[in-house]
Amino acid sequence: MNGWPGANTRQARPVEAVEVISALFDGGYVNYEGAHFQVDSAKLWDLPTVRVPIGIAVSGKQSCQLFGPLGQVMVGIEPDPDLITNWDNECGKPDSRKVARLAVSWDSDVEAASKRAHRLFHWNMTSWKVNAELPGTAGFASTSETVTPAQVAEKIPCGTDVDAIAKAAKEFFAAGYTDLALVQVSGDQQQSFFEAVNDELLPALRAL
């Protein structure tokens, strides 16, 4: 593949990919001739006893229309109830799982946590709709160059405040998400983060 294709092409490719994956889980040999992928006599030899649900990240009405009929699990990064409604309308399974991805920068040093979140996630401050239309890395750099660590910290919980993480999680649950996937920004604090999740965060989340 040469270059960075437009958003419509980037969505059309995973549609075909999911169609191929679903056919493989059906069993037997799969032949597929798409605009982007061609498959000749592929087969999944070790089929799981229980079919693996396919989770797909969506960001708006168009992606829900494309992937709702194909996926079994919705993944989102914004606590937007309209996204849940659009997914339910398109997938036809209102009781399907909806997984929220919540980034957390866990660190006893709040300033270090904010700086790390800014360095690695400042591009995330722009709306997903805008990000999807950007033509390349230069566009991401341009749209996010004025984002400050303080602005990032307003959207990504930074530090060790369990209540702040629970508050952010509550917004997703209020929007209609059923599951929460926590993403620790950077790896140098993973162990302390796992310990905090087990000792402090899980009880706080269950209390919601």
Side-chain angles (χ1 to χ4, degrees), residues 13-204:
R13 285 174 174 164
V15 165
E16 291 190 4
V18 173
E19 289 175 344
V20 171
I21 293 170
S22 295
L24 288 170
F25 277 125
D26 287 337
Y29 289 94
V30 174
N31 296 293
Y32 186 91
E33 187 70 29
H36 305 286
F37 296 104
Q38 291 76 47
V39 176
D40 183 22
S41 298
K43 182 177 181 178
L44 185 59
W45 290 95
D46 296 312
L47 286 171
T49 304
V50 178
R51 189 184 181 103
V52 178
I54 298 176
I56 305 178
V58 293
S59 59
K61 187 173 184 179
Q62 179 177 339
S63 54
C64 287
Q65 290 173 336
L66 287 171
F67 297 112
L70 300 174
Q72 292 77 54
V73 179
M74 189 199 97
V75 181
I77 64 170
E78 295 179 316
D80 181 1
D82 289 338
L83 193 61
I84 303 295
T85 300
N86 288 331
W87 175 268
D88 285 344
N89 289 340
E90 297 300 332
C91 77
K93 299 179 287 291
D95 59 345
S96 65
R97 292 172 61 195
K98 290 93 176 175
V99 180
R101 190 224 67 184
L102 174 60
V104 175
S105 188
W106 182 269
D107 198 313
S108 57
D109 186 333
V110 177
E111 183 178 359
S114 299
K115 288 182 178 180
R116 185 171 65 243
H118 175 263
R119 177 170 58 87
L120 297 175
F121 269 66
H122 63 280
W123 53 268
N124 202 37
M125 298 302 101
T126 308
S127 74
W128 197 252
K129 174 65 175 176
V130 173
N131 283 347
E133 300 295 339
L134 293 174
T137 55
F140 279 94
S142 176
T143 57
S144 61
E145 63 181 356
T146 61
V147 175
T148 66
Q151 289 174 318
V152 174
E154 289 178 1
K155 191 170 183 179
I156 296 177
C158 296
T160 57
D161 187 350
V162 171
D163 289 339
I165 300 174
K167 180 181 178 182
K170 187 175 182 179
E171 293 181 6
F172 281 101
F173 292 136
Y177 285 85
T178 62
D179 297 74
L180 183 68
L182 295 173
V183 178
Q184 160 65 352
V185 178
S186 184
D188 56 355
Q189 297 290 325
Q190 290 286 29
Q191 186 58 42
S192 63
F193 178 62
F194 288 144
E195 292 172 356
V197 167
N198 185 60
D199 299 336
E200 303 176 66
L201 188 54
L202 282 179

